[in-house]
Amino acid sequence: VDDLRRSDILFIRLNNCLFPQYLYRMTLPVPSSSREIVYTAAQTAANVILVAIVLAAAALGAYSWMHAQSHLLLRLAVVLIVSASVGLLFRFGLVVRVLGASVFLGLGLGVYTVEGLSIALTDPDRPALHAMEEAAKKDGIIFDDRTRLEVLAELRSRGVAAWPPFYPYLLLNSPLRIGDEEVLPLGSLGNARTVCCNESGRYVTYTTDEHGFRNPPNSWPNIPADVAIAGASSAASECVGDSDSLVTLLRARYPRTISVGAGGNGPLLELASIREYLPAAKPKLILWLFGEVHTPEYLEGEANSPLALRYLDPAFLQGLLSKQKQIDRAVASYFDQGIKAGEAVRRPAHRAGEFVELTETRMLMYYFVSARFTPHKQQPEFDTGLYERALREGVKTAGQWGGAVAVVFWPDSSRYPGGPGYSPENTLRLNSVRDTILKIAAKSGAAVIDLSHSFPEAGDAALSNVRFFYPFPAHFKPAGYRVAADEITAAVSRLGLYKESAEIK
Amino acid sequence: MSEPLPFAGLGLLVAAVYYSVKSPAWRRGVLLLANVAFLTTFFPGWRTSLPLAAFLIGSYAGLCVIRQYPRASFLPVLSATLTVFVWLKKYAFVPAGIRLHFVYVTVGLSYILFRVLHLMIDAAAGSFAKRISAVSFFNYTAGFTTLVSGPIQQFGDWLKTENPAARPPLTRARAWEALARMIQGLFKTNVLALLFSTIQSRMLDAALTPGPVNQKIFPGALALVLYPFFIYCNFSGYIDIVIGIGELLGMTLPENFDRPFSSDNIMDFWGSRWHITLSHWLRAYVYNPLLVGLMRRFPSQSVEPIWAVLAFFITFFLIGVWHGQTTEFIFYGFLLGLGVSVNKIFQIVITKRLGRKRYGALCKNGLYIALSRGLTFSWVTFTTIWFWADWQQIRNLTSALAPRLVPIWILIFVVSTIALALWEAVYQAAETMAVNTPPVCSRCLKVVLVSAALTITISVGILMNQPAPDIVYKAF
């Protein structure tokens, strides 16, 4: 041994570990008893398993490093697995090595079973879906449990060119390319059959207008418009049918009402819609919806988007109105890519790949670790200054054609007894947000329509709230939209916000 | 504290403290402390513990009286104990006016009663030479390992290891076996039971959702079939943990399950495979005395089988009623009694028709066994409905599946016959392989499976944040 170099010793050790029978044959008599044969086989199996584990762990480490997924946990796991396996291979005797390999095998089996179980048990949509199913059952509706992608596929297979709804905020930081320029569309494809959402138990579908908003066809040539609605999903009347949409309901009183709302819009994207589209419609009144729970969140996202911030500059415009054909093509291609990606995710090969990569388990570990070791994120501080600037710009824009702006404070169902997650403390917190918004609106030169008192807030009357709200976080039910539309109409006439004879420039 | 994971943790903690002290007296103290501490975890306030404490004290006093005056006091004390039990458990027939009108906890009261009755009956028969001390009485009737869901150990067996000095030393092999058993139990309660209960409730929802009845056959059948598997994993898993903890502490507790779904008749299921210690208890203290009494009172060979059937019916009716205080459980008891009685009558009739030899041959026929297993499982599935559903739910389920009830039960019978036959074949093959395989391989396989089970159990509980379903038998 003294004559051997260190590398030779290492080589012999490795040989000894991997091929014990070979060494037996070379240096010892061939094992004769069945006990020896079994132990030799067990040792070989253990060695093969441990080497395979080292290689697999190294491959996993390399793969994650190449795909920039090298999280601390993953690195730690790789280091631990490799060092434990190498330690078992070189440092310990037969019994411990066989035991160690068995434990590793068990861990592997366990981890992959957990992956399977987590796919089966922890469908993130399951609790929400279950609540929707229950609510639909109560309303006597057979719940359509298909995904939107499945509905789209089914419609497309029947030759209907169906599309998902368009959410501009998803493109805030990666606008679409039209020619050489980057464009952030604010509406969907024009005249597109859209499969929107399912809260009642049935999917709501509608056809967009010529600029991709949720209005009846041929809404745009009717200039000047009476009323325009800007806002997020509630302005797009998610998730009720056309007959219950805010536009339809307001048209009973103001026939030329249009909406430029889109789900996920915050004040800056709403300002953008007003600036891009409404000068062409010249509405006498803009109803600018403020969703009390989501608008602050959406504004936080928009504040990080240079493109959205540019709309605070009165001279900035993307000129979307004149680019509808190009927008149609770009949005269609964007949707097609998304649908293809969605379908790819559902393919068995992709799912198998995710299973091998332990995607769900890693996600669970990430949530587990981040829930414990990441400092709790505070509720975003609502940037009142930014909101006020957006509002002032909107008021100024409407003023260019003699239109008025009214901020409609759109309450969340969670503030009412019977609404999801209701608690008096939550309502008190929401009230303080409301008071701030109403003050800012008044300061910015906009009128204020507060809908927060339109639904029963206490007592036996609050029992009727089940007619207006779903028992899970969602948009209003059709009856809720009707109450909102009636209240808006009444407030508009009470405050004298709509003047039939107003002069439009 | 009766949740499986904390309970197993408590078992490990008690074992660690138990082995950290050497003197048998101290070890006895550790166990007493563990029993008291475990019991107190169930009481939200001292008032809630009073009825149970009074029951234990009263039972011990009754036991002392019976030892002193066995003939005169046995029946009055026994009747008083049973009356207090029924009163505290608020059975449906107990008038509301005489119930205690404050919140109290009766955890483990049924199991305490079984042990108390066993002591009283045996004491009256003069089985105990020595006086049972109050500490021994408490440790036996309210020991933390067996308090919540049994098993019901005979006092004589318990006494053998009461003294820590008499307990076998904790070897590495014993510790490994104990831990492996606990992990197996945790896997059953926290993973398998959770899985079965989740799928069962989803299937039940699907079966109760308005829609075409043909689409409800599969979910309806699955909802019915999965409950027995859930309750088996829930109960036997907890018992595995109990036995594992007992093993760690040097106590050999009796087995409560023996592959119940392999039973080929309902008497076999209830008599020697499911909740075995309860069946043994009832056999010793209800069935045998009842049958002997009837046969002594009406000594005729021709009516002996009738008494056997009657004794079976009453015993199993009592098993059903023991499970709960509502009318559903009374009906459940009736079905259990009916099943066992019909089974017994069938055995008597077919033995008379075929003769013992041919009936014995028939019982060894593979097809007959497979069909019997399927039928037994289907009957267990059917009777269990009254165990997990109330009348309203049963009505809803029946009306939802009404036009297809017969096909559903035929489906359950056919599928369970085939599946159980296959499972039995696989089990037998595995048994044969285990016998012929070198010990190192079976040990390695066990290490692999136990490691996997532990990984899964911890991941499901902690990472997936899925708590184990409540131990159903805790309520009895």
PDB file of all heavy atoms in Angstrom, chain A residues 20-21 24 28-44 94, chain B residues 438 440:
ATOM      1  N   PRO A  20     -17.913  -5.611  -6.041  1.00  0.00           N
ATOM      2  CA  PRO A  20     -17.357  -6.466  -4.999  1.00  0.00           C
ATOM      3  C   PRO A  20     -17.135  -7.906  -5.461  1.00  0.00           C
ATOM      4  O   PRO A  20     -16.155  -8.517  -5.100  1.00  0.00           O
ATOM      5  CB  PRO A  20     -18.397  -6.386  -3.887  1.00  0.00           C
ATOM      6  CG  PRO A  20     -19.622  -5.894  -4.512  1.00  0.00           C
ATOM      7  CD  PRO A  20     -19.222  -5.089  -5.678  1.00  0.00           C
ATOM      8  N   GLN A  21     -18.051  -8.400  -6.349  1.00  0.00           N
ATOM      9  CA  GLN A  21     -17.879  -9.797  -6.774  1.00  0.00           C
ATOM     10  C   GLN A  21     -16.545  -9.970  -7.498  1.00  0.00           C
ATOM     11  O   GLN A  21     -15.861 -10.959  -7.343  1.00  0.00           O
ATOM     12  CB  GLN A  21     -18.983 -10.235  -7.749  1.00  0.00           C
ATOM     13  CG  GLN A  21     -20.377  -9.990  -7.286  1.00  0.00           C
ATOM     14  CD  GLN A  21     -20.900  -8.699  -7.852  1.00  0.00           C
ATOM     15  OE1 GLN A  21     -20.200  -7.680  -7.807  1.00  0.00           O
ATOM     16  NE2 GLN A  21     -22.108  -8.723  -8.358  1.00  0.00           N
ATOM     17  N   TYR A  24     -13.860 -10.142  -5.120  1.00  0.00           N
ATOM     18  CA  TYR A  24     -13.920 -11.433  -4.435  1.00  0.00           C
ATOM     19  C   TYR A  24     -13.197 -12.492  -5.274  1.00  0.00           C
ATOM     20  O   TYR A  24     -12.438 -13.290  -4.774  1.00  0.00           O
ATOM     21  CB  TYR A  24     -15.389 -11.871  -4.258  1.00  0.00           C
ATOM     22  CG  TYR A  24     -15.991 -11.431  -2.942  1.00  0.00           C
ATOM     23  CD1 TYR A  24     -17.134 -10.647  -2.904  1.00  0.00           C
ATOM     24  CD2 TYR A  24     -15.414 -11.821  -1.747  1.00  0.00           C
ATOM     25  CE1 TYR A  24     -17.683 -10.250  -1.710  1.00  0.00           C
ATOM     26  CE2 TYR A  24     -15.973 -11.426  -0.545  1.00  0.00           C
ATOM     27  CZ  TYR A  24     -17.101 -10.638  -0.529  1.00  0.00           C
ATOM     28  OH  TYR A  24     -17.649 -10.259   0.658  1.00  0.00           O
ATOM     29  N   LEU A  28     -10.352 -13.152  -3.076  1.00  0.00           N
ATOM     30  CA  LEU A  28     -10.900 -14.090  -2.094  1.00  0.00           C
ATOM     31  C   LEU A  28     -11.494 -15.281  -2.822  1.00  0.00           C
ATOM     32  O   LEU A  28     -11.768 -15.205  -4.023  1.00  0.00           O
ATOM     33  CB  LEU A  28     -12.025 -13.401  -1.297  1.00  0.00           C
ATOM     34  CG  LEU A  28     -11.631 -12.189  -0.480  1.00  0.00           C
ATOM     35  CD1 LEU A  28     -12.881 -11.437  -0.064  1.00  0.00           C
ATOM     36  CD2 LEU A  28     -10.857 -12.625   0.764  1.00  0.00           C
ATOM     37  N   PRO A  29     -11.734 -16.352  -2.115  1.00  0.00           N
ATOM     38  CA  PRO A  29     -12.428 -17.448  -2.773  1.00  0.00           C
ATOM     39  C   PRO A  29     -13.843 -17.019  -3.164  1.00  0.00           C
ATOM     40  O   PRO A  29     -14.424 -16.150  -2.494  1.00  0.00           O
ATOM     41  CB  PRO A  29     -12.474 -18.554  -1.713  1.00  0.00           C
ATOM     42  CG  PRO A  29     -11.852 -18.013  -0.497  1.00  0.00           C
ATOM     43  CD  PRO A  29     -11.339 -16.652  -0.753  1.00  0.00           C
ATOM     44  N   VAL A  30     -14.350 -17.590  -4.214  1.00  0.00           N
ATOM     45  CA  VAL A  30     -15.702 -17.253  -4.667  1.00  0.00           C
ATOM     46  C   VAL A  30     -16.687 -17.578  -3.529  1.00  0.00           C
ATOM     47  O   VAL A  30     -16.561 -18.628  -2.904  1.00  0.00           O
ATOM     48  CB  VAL A  30     -16.053 -18.078  -5.927  1.00  0.00           C
ATOM     49  CG1 VAL A  30     -17.496 -17.841  -6.342  1.00  0.00           C
ATOM     50  CG2 VAL A  30     -15.095 -17.746  -7.029  1.00  0.00           C
ATOM     51  N   PRO A  31     -17.635 -16.654  -3.253  1.00  0.00           N
ATOM     52  CA  PRO A  31     -18.546 -16.926  -2.137  1.00  0.00           C
ATOM     53  C   PRO A  31     -19.319 -18.228  -2.387  1.00  0.00           C
ATOM     54  O   PRO A  31     -19.868 -18.430  -3.456  1.00  0.00           O
ATOM     55  CB  PRO A  31     -19.489 -15.730  -2.156  1.00  0.00           C
ATOM     56  CG  PRO A  31     -19.293 -15.098  -3.469  1.00  0.00           C
ATOM     57  CD  PRO A  31     -17.907 -15.396  -3.889  1.00  0.00           C
ATOM     58  N   SER A  32     -19.314 -19.051  -1.393  1.00  0.00           N
ATOM     59  CA  SER A  32     -19.919 -20.361  -1.597  1.00  0.00           C
ATOM     60  C   SER A  32     -21.318 -20.435  -0.991  1.00  0.00           C
ATOM     61  O   SER A  32     -22.254 -20.905  -1.622  1.00  0.00           O
ATOM     62  CB  SER A  32     -19.027 -21.442  -0.979  1.00  0.00           C
ATOM     63  OG  SER A  32     -18.768 -21.092   0.374  1.00  0.00           O
ATOM     64  N   SER A  33     -21.481 -19.934   0.216  1.00  0.00           N
ATOM     65  CA  SER A  33     -22.784 -20.099   0.855  1.00  0.00           C
ATOM     66  C   SER A  33     -23.797 -19.127   0.265  1.00  0.00           C
ATOM     67  O   SER A  33     -23.427 -18.065  -0.256  1.00  0.00           O
ATOM     68  CB  SER A  33     -22.670 -19.854   2.355  1.00  0.00           C
ATOM     69  OG  SER A  33     -22.479 -18.489   2.572  1.00  0.00           O
ATOM     70  N   SER A  34     -25.041 -19.501   0.331  1.00  0.00           N
ATOM     71  CA  SER A  34     -26.088 -18.638  -0.234  1.00  0.00           C
ATOM     72  C   SER A  34     -26.147 -17.317   0.535  1.00  0.00           C
ATOM     73  O   SER A  34     -26.463 -16.273  -0.013  1.00  0.00           O
ATOM     74  CB  SER A  34     -27.429 -19.348  -0.181  1.00  0.00           C
ATOM     75  OG  SER A  34     -27.765 -19.606   1.164  1.00  0.00           O
ATOM     76  N   ARG A  35     -25.828 -17.363   1.826  1.00  0.00           N
ATOM     77  CA  ARG A  35     -25.829 -16.149   2.640  1.00  0.00           C
ATOM     78  C   ARG A  35     -24.832 -15.125   2.080  1.00  0.00           C
ATOM     79  O   ARG A  35     -25.152 -13.955   1.906  1.00  0.00           O
ATOM     80  CB  ARG A  35     -25.443 -16.534   4.068  1.00  0.00           C
ATOM     81  CG  ARG A  35     -25.525 -15.406   5.060  1.00  0.00           C
ATOM     82  CD  ARG A  35     -25.007 -15.910   6.396  1.00  0.00           C
ATOM     83  NE  ARG A  35     -24.592 -14.797   7.234  1.00  0.00           N
ATOM     84  CZ  ARG A  35     -25.409 -14.158   8.048  1.00  0.00           C
ATOM     85  NH1 ARG A  35     -26.661 -14.495   8.113  1.00  0.00           N
ATOM     86  NH2 ARG A  35     -24.975 -13.149   8.781  1.00  0.00           N
ATOM     87  N   GLU A  36     -23.643 -15.638   1.707  1.00  0.00           N
ATOM     88  CA  GLU A  36     -22.621 -14.738   1.163  1.00  0.00           C
ATOM     89  C   GLU A  36     -23.076 -14.163  -0.173  1.00  0.00           C
ATOM     90  O   GLU A  36     -22.886 -12.988  -0.453  1.00  0.00           O
ATOM     91  CB  GLU A  36     -21.305 -15.496   0.973  1.00  0.00           C
ATOM     92  CG  GLU A  36     -20.397 -15.423   2.199  1.00  0.00           C
ATOM     93  CD  GLU A  36     -19.095 -16.143   1.957  1.00  0.00           C
ATOM     94  OE1 GLU A  36     -18.230 -15.541   1.315  1.00  0.00           O
ATOM     95  OE2 GLU A  36     -18.972 -17.296   2.380  1.00  0.00           O
ATOM     96  N   ILE A  37     -23.679 -15.032  -0.977  1.00  0.00           N
ATOM     97  CA  ILE A  37     -24.135 -14.577  -2.300  1.00  0.00           C
ATOM     98  C   ILE A  37     -25.170 -13.462  -2.128  1.00  0.00           C
ATOM     99  O   ILE A  37     -25.097 -12.413  -2.778  1.00  0.00           O
ATOM    100  CB  ILE A  37     -24.733 -15.752  -3.105  1.00  0.00           C
ATOM    101  CG1 ILE A  37     -23.625 -16.740  -3.443  1.00  0.00           C
ATOM    102  CG2 ILE A  37     -25.422 -15.264  -4.365  1.00  0.00           C
ATOM    103  CD1 ILE A  37     -24.103 -18.043  -4.016  1.00  0.00           C
ATOM    104  N   VAL A  38     -26.089 -13.700  -1.204  1.00  0.00           N
ATOM    105  CA  VAL A  38     -27.135 -12.701  -0.976  1.00  0.00           C
ATOM    106  C   VAL A  38     -26.527 -11.379  -0.497  1.00  0.00           C
ATOM    107  O   VAL A  38     -26.859 -10.296  -0.987  1.00  0.00           O
ATOM    108  CB  VAL A  38     -28.160 -13.236   0.055  1.00  0.00           C
ATOM    109  CG1 VAL A  38     -29.056 -12.100   0.550  1.00  0.00           C
ATOM    110  CG2 VAL A  38     -29.000 -14.319  -0.564  1.00  0.00           C
ATOM    111  N   TYR A  39     -25.580 -11.482   0.430  1.00  0.00           N
ATOM    112  CA  TYR A  39     -24.977 -10.255   0.952  1.00  0.00           C
ATOM    113  C   TYR A  39     -24.186  -9.524  -0.120  1.00  0.00           C
ATOM    114  O   TYR A  39     -24.187  -8.298  -0.190  1.00  0.00           O
ATOM    115  CB  TYR A  39     -24.096 -10.579   2.170  1.00  0.00           C
ATOM    116  CG  TYR A  39     -24.909 -10.582   3.439  1.00  0.00           C
ATOM    117  CD1 TYR A  39     -25.680 -11.691   3.785  1.00  0.00           C
ATOM    118  CD2 TYR A  39     -24.975  -9.463   4.253  1.00  0.00           C
ATOM    119  CE1 TYR A  39     -26.465 -11.696   4.912  1.00  0.00           C
ATOM    120  CE2 TYR A  39     -25.767  -9.461   5.397  1.00  0.00           C
ATOM    121  CZ  TYR A  39     -26.507 -10.579   5.724  1.00  0.00           C
ATOM    122  OH  TYR A  39     -27.291 -10.560   6.839  1.00  0.00           O
ATOM    123  N   THR A  40     -23.506 -10.304  -0.973  1.00  0.00           N
ATOM    124  CA  THR A  40     -22.746  -9.673  -2.053  1.00  0.00           C
ATOM    125  C   THR A  40     -23.705  -8.967  -3.004  1.00  0.00           C
ATOM    126  O   THR A  40     -23.467  -7.833  -3.416  1.00  0.00           O
ATOM    127  CB  THR A  40     -21.951 -10.746  -2.831  1.00  0.00           C
ATOM    128  OG1 THR A  40     -21.268 -11.542  -1.888  1.00  0.00           O
ATOM    129  CG2 THR A  40     -20.979 -10.116  -3.789  1.00  0.00           C
ATOM    130  N   ALA A  41     -24.822  -9.648  -3.302  1.00  0.00           N
ATOM    131  CA  ALA A  41     -25.803  -9.038  -4.208  1.00  0.00           C
ATOM    132  C   ALA A  41     -26.392  -7.783  -3.587  1.00  0.00           C
ATOM    133  O   ALA A  41     -26.559  -6.756  -4.263  1.00  0.00           O
ATOM    134  CB  ALA A  41     -26.915 -10.043  -4.506  1.00  0.00           C
ATOM    135  N   ALA A  42     -26.668  -7.853  -2.281  1.00  0.00           N
ATOM    136  CA  ALA A  42     -27.223  -6.684  -1.596  1.00  0.00           C
ATOM    137  C   ALA A  42     -26.240  -5.519  -1.653  1.00  0.00           C
ATOM    138  O   ALA A  42     -26.630  -4.367  -1.888  1.00  0.00           O
ATOM    139  CB  ALA A  42     -27.547  -7.028  -0.152  1.00  0.00           C
ATOM    140  N   GLN A  43     -24.942  -5.868  -1.467  1.00  0.00           N
ATOM    141  CA  GLN A  43     -23.934  -4.804  -1.489  1.00  0.00           C
ATOM    142  C   GLN A  43     -23.853  -4.173  -2.878  1.00  0.00           C
ATOM    143  O   GLN A  43     -23.803  -2.948  -3.021  1.00  0.00           O
ATOM    144  CB  GLN A  43     -22.584  -5.384  -1.094  1.00  0.00           C
ATOM    145  CG  GLN A  43     -21.524  -4.303  -0.928  1.00  0.00           C
ATOM    146  CD  GLN A  43     -20.235  -4.852  -0.372  1.00  0.00           C
ATOM    147  OE1 GLN A  43     -20.128  -6.030  -0.092  1.00  0.00           O
ATOM    148  NE2 GLN A  43     -19.261  -3.993  -0.193  1.00  0.00           N
ATOM    149  N   THR A  44     -23.894  -5.037  -3.896  1.00  0.00           N
ATOM    150  CA  THR A  44     -23.824  -4.510  -5.274  1.00  0.00           C
ATOM    151  C   THR A  44     -25.029  -3.615  -5.549  1.00  0.00           C
ATOM    152  O   THR A  44     -24.884  -2.511  -6.087  1.00  0.00           O
ATOM    153  CB  THR A  44     -23.840  -5.677  -6.293  1.00  0.00           C
ATOM    154  OG1 THR A  44     -22.894  -6.627  -5.873  1.00  0.00           O
ATOM    155  CG2 THR A  44     -23.542  -5.189  -7.680  1.00  0.00           C
ATOM    156  N   LEU A  94     -20.842  -2.651   5.074  1.00  0.00           N
ATOM    157  CA  LEU A  94     -21.931  -3.225   4.285  1.00  0.00           C
ATOM    158  C   LEU A  94     -23.322  -2.898   4.853  1.00  0.00           C
ATOM    159  O   LEU A  94     -24.186  -2.410   4.133  1.00  0.00           O
ATOM    160  CB  LEU A  94     -21.738  -4.746   4.226  1.00  0.00           C
ATOM    161  CG  LEU A  94     -22.912  -5.530   3.667  1.00  0.00           C
ATOM    162  CD1 LEU A  94     -23.023  -5.327   2.174  1.00  0.00           C
ATOM    163  CD2 LEU A  94     -22.788  -6.995   3.982  1.00  0.00           C
TER     164      LEU A  94
ATOM    165  N   PRO B 438     -34.357 -14.241   1.476  1.00  0.00           N
ATOM    166  CA  PRO B 438     -33.427 -14.079   2.596  1.00  0.00           C
ATOM    167  C   PRO B 438     -33.830 -12.905   3.470  1.00  0.00           C
ATOM    168  O   PRO B 438     -34.342 -11.902   2.956  1.00  0.00           O
ATOM    169  CB  PRO B 438     -32.087 -13.809   1.916  1.00  0.00           C
ATOM    170  CG  PRO B 438     -32.274 -14.174   0.506  1.00  0.00           C
ATOM    171  CD  PRO B 438     -33.709 -14.104   0.183  1.00  0.00           C
ATOM    172  N   VAL B 440     -32.267 -10.501   4.751  1.00  0.00           N
ATOM    173  CA  VAL B 440     -31.715  -9.179   4.420  1.00  0.00           C
ATOM    174  C   VAL B 440     -32.605  -8.455   3.407  1.00  0.00           C
ATOM    175  O   VAL B 440     -32.810  -7.238   3.488  1.00  0.00           O
ATOM    176  CB  VAL B 440     -30.250  -9.287   3.934  1.00  0.00           C
ATOM    177  CG1 VAL B 440     -30.150 -10.025   2.623  1.00  0.00           C
ATOM    178  CG2 VAL B 440     -29.617  -7.927   3.827  1.00  0.00           C
TER     179      VAL B 440
END
